[in-house]
Amino acid sequence: MDDNYIDSIFEKYLHAKKIFKNKEVLRHSYTPKELPHRREQIEELAHILVPVLRGETPSNVFVYGKTGTGKTVTIKFVTDELKRISDKYEIPVDVIYINCEIVDTQYRVLANIVNHFKNESGVEVPLVGWPTDEVYARLKEVIDARERFVIIVLDEIDKLIKKSGDDILYSLTRINTELGLAKVSIIGISNDLKFKEYLDARVLSSLSEEEVVFPPYDANQLRDILMQRASDAFNEGVLDDGVVPLCAALAAREHGDARRALDLLRVAGEIAEREGASKVTERHVWKAQEKIEQDTMEEVIKTLPLHSKVLLYAIVLLDENGELPANTGDVYSVYMSLCDHIDLEPLTQRRVSDLINELDMLGIINAKVVSKGRYGRTKEIRLNVTPYKVKNIYRHDSQLQTMLTVSMSRQRRLL
């Protein structure tokens, strides 16, 4: 390939108008100096945690609200501020933040807490291998090495409980009775209020000593958040006037999700930059919306349980055979054949009907109940994604690769 051609590609992007001043400001992990429209929640959390500055143990807190309502960023903002003030008054405070979507077992949570103190204690727990009760004993030992307050933030706590049960919460919410010098407080964050139904009543009463609710943002509030971030994220004059209001309006439709609003603004900027555009326009926002929806759907399909993936492929085959909309019985018949093809024990038709409803809720398919007059009601199933997209995802899944060789005859026999 011509070296001049390669040089010209990089030169083109190097000399294109710079859209971003600091793109990191638009990341979910960024904690701004001010949080618009969350003063009430900041005040509540500060009131709950202020006993630390008086040498008293604060209550455990349960924080909940839908995705993108500012829970995590507000907790980080308040605990950062608490740490700053405690350092000023020489009050020893440790804040340990754990994302339970990643650290999702009792053992790994305990190990993460112990390893937070490894520079001080010299103790480091491997990610696997020790008996859990020994890890817990070390945790008490390293925390209680001196007088201090330890605040443990368990973000997406529902993921941990659903996977590993509530034993760890039972232990952590009662740990103060086993400590002599240190005091521990738990902050649990969840998108799913219903997860409390999984908790033992004693754990629930300990964890929910205080509760802070984060309501969704409306379009005007989202616009304020985006305007604040945009001034730090973008170079002056690169945003068209309609960009921020459009991002806010689109995210407001998604139950007021600030993360979605920030993603839209960031991806719109990235698309404009890639095009070599001098400005970010509403057209870039619409393209960003399309890209994010495609990426989200792909991730949803990748993380489906195995039977749901097989069921989805049955619907793909029916679509390719020109047989959609299909009813549950048609889909189940192809699903059974696919299970036989990959040597998988099939689920009952009732359970598959539940999985169809779940795929419908996720937006991957459309399963609409229609009336057939005197023949009763039936479910009409249609595909909301392209067969190519599903096949492309399955190509990288070793469990499902053999299924991709299957096609269907018009008589609905697998070939």
Side-chain angles (χ1 to χ4, degrees):
M1 189 175 284
D2 185 356
D3 286 346
N4 291 332
Y5 170 69
I6 297 292
D7 289 347
S8 69
I9 291 175
F10 286 107
E11 289 286 342
K12 181 177 76 172
Y13 288 118
L14 184 64
H15 297 299
K17 184 171 172 72
K18 201 164 185 291
I19 296 288
F20 290 104
K21 183 163 54 177
N22 181 6
K23 196 194 294 187
E24 295 310 303
V25 171
L26 300 174
R27 303 279 181 198
H28 304 165
S29 54
Y30 178 78
T31 305
K33 292 185 176 67
E34 289 180 29
L35 293 175
H37 307 293
R38 283 297 175 248
R39 176 166 287 189
E40 184 184 330
Q41 286 74 21
I42 290 169
E43 295 276 353
E44 276 188 78
L45 288 161
H47 178 71
I48 292 163
L49 295 174
V50 76
V52 168
L53 302 176
R54 296 195 291 259
E56 302 163 3
T57 309
S59 300
N60 296 318
V61 194
F62 176 52
V63 174
Y64 60 91
K66 290 183 175 178
T67 303
T69 50
K71 302 179 301 298
T72 301
V73 72
T74 303
I75 293 292
K76 286 183 174 178
F77 178 87
V78 172
T79 53
D80 285 352
E81 195 61 19
L82 176 69
K83 192 85 175 68
R84 187 181 69 78
I85 300 293
S86 66
D87 287 348
K88 178 180 171 183
Y89 291 104
E90 298 183 344
I91 300 164
V93 174
D94 283 274
V95 178
I96 304 171
Y97 173 84
I98 296 173
N99 184 336
C100 298
E101 185 170 29
I102 300 163
V103 183
D104 60 356
T105 66
Q106 178 174 342
Y107 181 97
R108 291 182 68 196
V109 169
L110 295 173
N112 266 261
I113 297 168
V114 176
N115 292 342
H116 175 84
F117 300 100
K118 67 183 177 186
N119 292 338
E120 172 193 317
S121 67
V123 176
E124 184 169 4
V125 178
L127 289 179
V128 291
W130 285 18
T132 304
D133 54 357
E134 186 181 339
V135 182
Y136 184 64
R138 289 298 180 95
L139 181 146
K140 289 187 291 184
E141 188 183 300
V142 299
I143 285 179
D144 213 28
R146 61 189 177 93
E147 285 190 6
R148 63 169 135 225
F149 292 95
V150 178
I151 296 169
I152 301 169
V153 180
L154 299 173
D155 201 351
E156 305 220 40
I157 191 174
D158 46 297
K159 305 277 172 54
L160 173 67
I161 304 311
K162 286 173 186 174
K163 179 166 181 179
S164 302
D166 62 6
D167 287 353
I168 186 167
L169 287 185
Y170 186 79
S171 301
L172 290 177
T173 53
R174 282 164 175 68
I175 196 171
N176 287 326
T177 61
E178 302 176 63
L179 302 176
L181 299 173
K183 297 295 179 191
V184 172
S185 175
I186 308 295
I187 300 176
I189 307 175
S190 176
N191 302 329
D192 179 10
L193 181 56
K194 287 196 289 190
F195 107 93
K196 288 161 65 172
E197 296 166 9
Y198 296 94
L199 297 178
D200 179 277
R202 294 168 301 171
V203 174
L204 185 57
S205 64
S206 299
L207 179 63
S208 300
E209 290 174 340
E210 297 278 359
E211 292 192 353
V212 179
V213 182
F214 281 69
Y217 295 109
D218 62 30
N220 290 330
Q221 292 171 332
L222 287 171
R223 191 168 66 234
D224 291 344
I225 291 166
L226 292 180
M227 290 300 288
Q228 179 215 43
R229 299 281 188 107
S231 63
D232 293 328
F234 291 96
N235 283 312
E236 199 170 334
V238 301
L239 287 184
D240 263 5
D241 290 344
V243 166
V244 165
L246 179 57
C247 289
L250 290 171
R253 293 195 319 208
E254 302 266 340
H255 61 253
D257 186 342
R259 291 186 174 203
R260 181 58 170 259
L262 289 166
D263 286 344
L264 278 168
L265 190 53
R266 175 179 54 79
V267 175
E270 289 170 348
I271 290 169
E273 202 166 55
R274 205 170 299 132
E275 288 181 358
S278 59
K279 280 201 161 200
V280 185
T281 66
E282 290 182 35
R283 180 180 67 82
H284 294 124
V285 176
W286 287 112
K287 289 183 86 166
Q289 166 89 335
E290 190 179 325
K291 183 180 188 308
I292 289 168
E293 283 181 353
Q294 285 175 355
D295 292 349
T296 304
M297 185 61 75
E298 193 167 311
E299 195 55 39
V300 168
I301 293 170
K302 277 181 186 172
T303 54
L304 286 173
L306 178 58
H307 280 278
S308 296
K309 285 179 175 173
V310 176
L311 176 63
L312 175 58
Y313 198 65
I315 299 167
V316 164
L317 288 177
L318 285 164
D319 185 62
E320 290 185 327
N321 211 37
E323 295 190 43
L324 292 188
N327 61 39
T328 305
D330 293 335
V331 172
Y332 186 68
S333 171
V334 180
Y335 159 82
M336 290 266 288
S337 300
L338 287 171
C339 285
D340 185 53
H341 184 80
I342 63 170
D343 202 21
L344 180 68
E345 185 70 30
L347 300 173
T348 63
Q349 185 160 342
R350 178 186 286 252
R351 180 69 190 109
V352 165
S353 186
D354 291 340
L355 294 184
I356 287 170
N357 290 338
E358 287 172 20
L359 292 176
D360 180 41
M361 282 173 59
L362 291 167
I364 300 170
I365 65 169
N366 183 273
K368 185 178 171 187
V369 177
V370 295
S371 172
K372 295 288 187 181
R374 61 196 181 92
Y375 298 105
R377 292 153 68 83
T378 187
K379 209 174 268 180
E380 285 193 345
I381 297 161
R382 290 177 167 83
L383 197 58
N384 281 349
V385 292
T386 63
Y388 172 79
K389 180 184 279 292
V390 176
K391 286 183 166 183
N392 209 35
I393 294 165
Y394 286 7
R395 274 192 191 94
H396 305 287
D397 190 324
S398 56
Q399 282 181 297
L400 301 173
Q401 283 168 353
T402 58
M403 210 165 59
L404 297 179
T405 61
V406 172
S407 60
M408 276 177 53
S409 70
R410 288 284 169 190
Q411 289 75 40
R412 207 181 295 130
R413 285 184 296 105
L414 299 192
L415 302 171

